[in-house]
Amino acid sequence: MDSRLAADLGDLPDLLTAARDYAAGILAGLDDRPAAVPPPPAVPAPLPVDGLGAAKALEIFRERWAPGFSGSAGPRYLGFVTGGATPAALVGDWLTGTFDQNASTRQDSSAVDLERETVAWLRFLFGLKDDFSGTFVSGATMSNTVGLAIGREWLGERKGVSVARQGVAALGDIPVLSGAPHSSVYKALSMIGIGRDQLRVVTTQDGREAVDLVALDAVLSQVSGPAIVVANAGTVNTVDFDDLRAIAALKAEHDFWLHVDAAFGGFAALSPEHRHLVDGLDLADSIGIDLHKWLNVPYDAAVQFTRRPDLQVSVFQNSAAYLTEPGPDPDPFHLTPENSRRLRALPAWFALAAYGAAGHREIVERDIALAHRFGDEVARIPGARLLSPVRLNVVCFATDRDVRVVLEAVAASGEGFLTPTVHGGVPALRAAFSNWRTQAGDVDRVLAVLREVLAS
Ligand SMILES: *Cc1c(COP(=O)(O)O)cnc(C)c1O
């Protein structure tokens, strides 16, 4: 054994204590860490030929890299849709690395059964019936990709071909319809060979990002043969929701696979006051929901639900002499793009065991309340105006001053971090609330900077 490696093995408890102490310090300072850090110029170092040992590596990391790391796990990072890591989720993440299970098969470990228990808990949390199966993937982009790949296989079933065997060319025309699709849907279509240009964007309702049902019905009438509809349960700009129940009802007249992108909007199900927004979610054929956003587990975790695990196996099966055949109860390597995979269910399992449905409902409801508080105040700032009512946890607004200038000034203050968008042709800012740590005082700190920037 390499001498450094042997020494680290001997020092393992001390090393872990050092890492623990360092992490505890970082977490204790998270509330005051700058929300965003403009990356300092990176000067790449050469690979050490003789290793330095883990203690020295930690020292170098602390000096060279950690200062450039953002407070994205903290309470005033409002860019994109970004969650942090609750204490239990972090414990689960550490133990994921500690046990280092390959959660791809049930031949040697109960890790996959833990994943299944976690999926069942999530199904309950989102109000889905037991006929949904679910698997963990790395993020909502992958949930959307897997869901659309299953939909693609379903199109093949309808047309009497196997896409998994014959390729996507066997399908001919592949209509994919959506009102206000997330960028990841285009990426998914590119990855699964359908192609970005196949996406037909359907008219949305006046001043809304929710699809116009009459228009969707009309486009479905025009397409020949089966189609894929991507419904949106929470758009990133204005958190608008398609009427999922009404879309599903169109199946009486039209033949389509219904995939719902509920990356963060799915968490509306946790709040009795907002649950109606995802009414009909359980009528979908496949659903993608992110966990590293509003469940506040560390990157990378999302869940992919479907009612057709058989088609999922057709796409992803990985048969080999030394592996199990899919059978009626397939191992995960027959279900996801990865074969070997970390037990990314463990942080979610810990979070759900520790805080339950009630704890996570509290996070969701508090974030929604904070978004309203922020939106109400932004509407009162001279030089700022809301571009949409606050429907859930995102505030989308325009400013008289150039958006880039405002964003940079907010980021430079260290007090907050917001990200840009364009909504209805108007350059705008977004503030998204999904962190478990955020409190009213944080909202007020970001508002104070915003007022200052817009007054200058
Ligand atoms: C974030 C998001 C995605 C993509 O999720 P990743 O976790 O970044 O892969 C897809 N759809 C919606 C609506 C999102 O908010």
Side-chain angles (χ1 to χ4, degrees), residues 81 139-142 144 182 184 234 236 261 263-264 290 292-293:
V81 179
T141 301
M142 281 320 271
N144 285 339
H182 187 263
S184 63
V236 284
D261 179 356
F264 65 96
D290 243 327
H292 52 219
K293 288 175 180 165

PDB file of all heavy atoms in Angstrom, residues 81 139-142 144 182 184 234 236 261 263-264 290 292-293, ligand 1:
ATOM      1  N   VAL A  81     -33.555  27.478  -8.990  1.00  0.00           N
ATOM      2  CA  VAL A  81     -34.388  26.971  -7.891  1.00  0.00           C
ATOM      3  C   VAL A  81     -33.428  26.073  -7.129  1.00  0.00           C
ATOM      4  O   VAL A  81     -33.041  25.014  -7.634  1.00  0.00           O
ATOM      5  CB  VAL A  81     -35.610  26.174  -8.383  1.00  0.00           C
ATOM      6  CG1 VAL A  81     -36.410  25.649  -7.193  1.00  0.00           C
ATOM      7  CG2 VAL A  81     -36.489  27.031  -9.283  1.00  0.00           C
ATOM      8  N   GLY A 139     -31.121  14.067 -11.293  1.00  0.00           N
ATOM      9  CA  GLY A 139     -31.734  15.390 -11.304  1.00  0.00           C
ATOM     10  C   GLY A 139     -32.957  15.357 -12.191  1.00  0.00           C
ATOM     11  O   GLY A 139     -33.239  14.339 -12.845  1.00  0.00           O
ATOM     12  N   ALA A 140     -33.693  16.468 -12.206  1.00  0.00           N
ATOM     13  CA  ALA A 140     -34.941  16.475 -12.979  1.00  0.00           C
ATOM     14  C   ALA A 140     -34.683  16.368 -14.482  1.00  0.00           C
ATOM     15  O   ALA A 140     -35.528  15.867 -15.226  1.00  0.00           O
ATOM     16  CB  ALA A 140     -35.757  17.720 -12.663  1.00  0.00           C
ATOM     17  N   THR A 141     -33.516  16.818 -14.937  1.00  0.00           N
ATOM     18  CA  THR A 141     -33.203  16.636 -16.364  1.00  0.00           C
ATOM     19  C   THR A 141     -33.213  15.146 -16.686  1.00  0.00           C
ATOM     20  O   THR A 141     -33.755  14.714 -17.717  1.00  0.00           O
ATOM     21  CB  THR A 141     -31.826  17.241 -16.694  1.00  0.00           C
ATOM     22  OG1 THR A 141     -31.855  18.626 -16.375  1.00  0.00           O
ATOM     23  CG2 THR A 141     -31.473  17.062 -18.153  1.00  0.00           C
ATOM     24  N   MET A 142     -32.635  14.357 -15.783  1.00  0.00           N
ATOM     25  CA  MET A 142     -32.631  12.908 -16.015  1.00  0.00           C
ATOM     26  C   MET A 142     -34.024  12.314 -15.812  1.00  0.00           C
ATOM     27  O   MET A 142     -34.403  11.380 -16.514  1.00  0.00           O
ATOM     28  CB  MET A 142     -31.617  12.222 -15.097  1.00  0.00           C
ATOM     29  CG  MET A 142     -30.186  12.350 -15.585  1.00  0.00           C
ATOM     30  SD  MET A 142     -30.004  12.163 -17.365  1.00  0.00           S
ATOM     31  CE  MET A 142     -29.775  10.443 -17.500  1.00  0.00           C
ATOM     32  N   ASN A 144     -36.777  13.798 -16.536  1.00  0.00           N
ATOM     33  CA  ASN A 144     -37.495  14.110 -17.777  1.00  0.00           C
ATOM     34  C   ASN A 144     -37.003  13.221 -18.916  1.00  0.00           C
ATOM     35  O   ASN A 144     -37.789  12.729 -19.728  1.00  0.00           O
ATOM     36  CB  ASN A 144     -37.306  15.585 -18.144  1.00  0.00           C
ATOM     37  CG  ASN A 144     -38.136  16.511 -17.251  1.00  0.00           C
ATOM     38  OD1 ASN A 144     -39.113  16.082 -16.637  1.00  0.00           O
ATOM     39  ND2 ASN A 144     -37.754  17.773 -17.181  1.00  0.00           N
ATOM     40  N   HIS A 182     -39.601  23.386 -19.958  1.00  0.00           N
ATOM     41  CA  HIS A 182     -38.289  23.708 -19.390  1.00  0.00           C
ATOM     42  C   HIS A 182     -37.217  23.357 -20.424  1.00  0.00           C
ATOM     43  O   HIS A 182     -37.396  22.438 -21.223  1.00  0.00           O
ATOM     44  CB  HIS A 182     -38.091  22.885 -18.119  1.00  0.00           C
ATOM     45  CG  HIS A 182     -36.853  23.236 -17.359  1.00  0.00           C
ATOM     46  ND1 HIS A 182     -35.678  22.539 -17.488  1.00  0.00           N
ATOM     47  CD2 HIS A 182     -36.619  24.221 -16.455  1.00  0.00           C
ATOM     48  CE1 HIS A 182     -34.763  23.076 -16.680  1.00  0.00           C
ATOM     49  NE2 HIS A 182     -35.314  24.097 -16.041  1.00  0.00           N
ATOM     50  N   SER A 184     -34.677  21.730 -20.168  1.00  0.00           N
ATOM     51  CA  SER A 184     -34.194  20.343 -20.071  1.00  0.00           C
ATOM     52  C   SER A 184     -35.015  19.390 -20.931  1.00  0.00           C
ATOM     53  O   SER A 184     -34.544  18.296 -21.259  1.00  0.00           O
ATOM     54  CB  SER A 184     -34.211  19.877 -18.613  1.00  0.00           C
ATOM     55  OG  SER A 184     -35.529  19.872 -18.107  1.00  0.00           O
ATOM     56  N   GLY A 234     -45.376  23.718 -12.579  1.00  0.00           N
ATOM     57  CA  GLY A 234     -44.433  24.661 -12.017  1.00  0.00           C
ATOM     58  C   GLY A 234     -43.397  25.085 -13.031  1.00  0.00           C
ATOM     59  O   GLY A 234     -42.372  24.426 -13.189  1.00  0.00           O
ATOM     60  N   VAL A 236     -40.505  27.665 -14.466  1.00  0.00           N
ATOM     61  CA  VAL A 236     -39.465  28.324 -13.669  1.00  0.00           C
ATOM     62  C   VAL A 236     -39.646  29.837 -13.553  1.00  0.00           C
ATOM     63  O   VAL A 236     -39.239  30.432 -12.563  1.00  0.00           O
ATOM     64  CB  VAL A 236     -38.029  28.023 -14.178  1.00  0.00           C
ATOM     65  CG1 VAL A 236     -37.604  26.632 -13.776  1.00  0.00           C
ATOM     66  CG2 VAL A 236     -37.905  28.221 -15.656  1.00  0.00           C
ATOM     67  N   ASP A 261     -43.579  17.424 -15.934  1.00  0.00           N
ATOM     68  CA  ASP A 261     -42.366  17.979 -15.339  1.00  0.00           C
ATOM     69  C   ASP A 261     -42.788  18.746 -14.090  1.00  0.00           C
ATOM     70  O   ASP A 261     -43.287  19.863 -14.164  1.00  0.00           O
ATOM     71  CB  ASP A 261     -41.670  18.903 -16.350  1.00  0.00           C
ATOM     72  CG  ASP A 261     -40.396  19.537 -15.784  1.00  0.00           C
ATOM     73  OD1 ASP A 261     -40.086  19.328 -14.588  1.00  0.00           O
ATOM     74  OD2 ASP A 261     -39.721  20.251 -16.552  1.00  0.00           O
ATOM     75  N   ALA A 263     -40.677  19.320 -11.446  1.00  0.00           N
ATOM     76  CA  ALA A 263     -39.354  19.352 -10.805  1.00  0.00           C
ATOM     77  C   ALA A 263     -39.410  19.913  -9.387  1.00  0.00           C
ATOM     78  O   ALA A 263     -38.939  19.296  -8.455  1.00  0.00           O
ATOM     79  CB  ALA A 263     -38.375  20.135 -11.658  1.00  0.00           C
ATOM     80  N   PHE A 264     -39.986  21.111  -9.256  1.00  0.00           N
ATOM     81  CA  PHE A 264     -40.143  21.637  -7.892  1.00  0.00           C
ATOM     82  C   PHE A 264     -41.614  21.890  -7.570  1.00  0.00           C
ATOM     83  O   PHE A 264     -42.017  21.837  -6.409  1.00  0.00           O
ATOM     84  CB  PHE A 264     -39.300  22.904  -7.685  1.00  0.00           C
ATOM     85  CG  PHE A 264     -39.719  24.073  -8.531  1.00  0.00           C
ATOM     86  CD1 PHE A 264     -40.566  25.039  -8.018  1.00  0.00           C
ATOM     87  CD2 PHE A 264     -39.290  24.196  -9.847  1.00  0.00           C
ATOM     88  CE1 PHE A 264     -40.977  26.110  -8.803  1.00  0.00           C
ATOM     89  CE2 PHE A 264     -39.685  25.269 -10.630  1.00  0.00           C
ATOM     90  CZ  PHE A 264     -40.530  26.232 -10.108  1.00  0.00           C
ATOM     91  N   ASP A 290     -37.642  16.792  -8.747  1.00  0.00           N
ATOM     92  CA  ASP A 290     -36.311  17.006  -8.193  1.00  0.00           C
ATOM     93  C   ASP A 290     -36.359  16.887  -6.678  1.00  0.00           C
ATOM     94  O   ASP A 290     -37.331  17.317  -6.047  1.00  0.00           O
ATOM     95  CB  ASP A 290     -35.837  18.432  -8.539  1.00  0.00           C
ATOM     96  CG  ASP A 290     -34.604  18.424  -9.407  1.00  0.00           C
ATOM     97  OD1 ASP A 290     -33.781  17.512  -9.248  1.00  0.00           O
ATOM     98  OD2 ASP A 290     -34.459  19.354 -10.225  1.00  0.00           O
ATOM     99  N   HIS A 292     -33.160  17.558  -4.982  1.00  0.00           N
ATOM    100  CA  HIS A 292     -32.112  18.478  -4.518  1.00  0.00           C
ATOM    101  C   HIS A 292     -32.572  19.938  -4.556  1.00  0.00           C
ATOM    102  O   HIS A 292     -31.824  20.826  -4.194  1.00  0.00           O
ATOM    103  CB  HIS A 292     -30.791  18.285  -5.260  1.00  0.00           C
ATOM    104  CG  HIS A 292     -30.875  18.318  -6.757  1.00  0.00           C
ATOM    105  ND1 HIS A 292     -30.131  17.482  -7.553  1.00  0.00           N
ATOM    106  CD2 HIS A 292     -31.582  19.084  -7.610  1.00  0.00           C
ATOM    107  CE1 HIS A 292     -30.376  17.745  -8.828  1.00  0.00           C
ATOM    108  NE2 HIS A 292     -31.258  18.708  -8.886  1.00  0.00           N
ATOM    109  N   LYS A 293     -33.790  20.162  -4.998  1.00  0.00           N
ATOM    110  CA  LYS A 293     -34.350  21.507  -4.884  1.00  0.00           C
ATOM    111  C   LYS A 293     -35.140  21.595  -3.573  1.00  0.00           C
ATOM    112  O   LYS A 293     -34.595  21.884  -2.531  1.00  0.00           O
ATOM    113  CB  LYS A 293     -35.214  21.832  -6.098  1.00  0.00           C
ATOM    114  CG  LYS A 293     -34.371  22.058  -7.369  1.00  0.00           C
ATOM    115  CD  LYS A 293     -35.190  22.265  -8.602  1.00  0.00           C
ATOM    116  CE  LYS A 293     -34.282  22.477  -9.818  1.00  0.00           C
ATOM    117  NZ  LYS A 293     -35.018  22.342 -11.079  1.00  0.00           N
TER     118      LYS A 293
HETATM  119  C1  LIG B   1     -34.649  22.473 -12.312  1.00  0.00           C
HETATM  120  C2  LIG B   1     -35.666  22.038 -13.284  1.00  0.00           C
HETATM  121  C3  LIG B   1     -35.378  21.034 -14.219  1.00  0.00           C
HETATM  122  C4  LIG B   1     -34.005  20.437 -14.369  1.00  0.00           C
HETATM  123  O1  LIG B   1     -33.559  19.912 -13.166  1.00  0.00           O
HETATM  124  P1  LIG B   1     -32.042  19.554 -12.856  1.00  0.00           P
HETATM  125  O2  LIG B   1     -32.140  19.067 -11.466  1.00  0.00           O
HETATM  126  O3  LIG B   1     -31.263  20.826 -12.995  1.00  0.00           O
HETATM  127  O4  LIG B   1     -31.597  18.528 -13.816  1.00  0.00           O
HETATM  128  C5  LIG B   1     -36.399  20.622 -15.045  1.00  0.00           C
HETATM  129  N1  LIG B   1     -37.608  21.187 -14.988  1.00  0.00           N
HETATM  130  C6  LIG B   1     -37.910  22.172 -14.126  1.00  0.00           C
HETATM  131  C7  LIG B   1     -39.288  22.755 -14.113  1.00  0.00           C
HETATM  132  C8  LIG B   1     -36.949  22.635 -13.234  1.00  0.00           C
HETATM  133  O5  LIG B   1     -37.242  23.588 -12.359  1.00  0.00           O
END
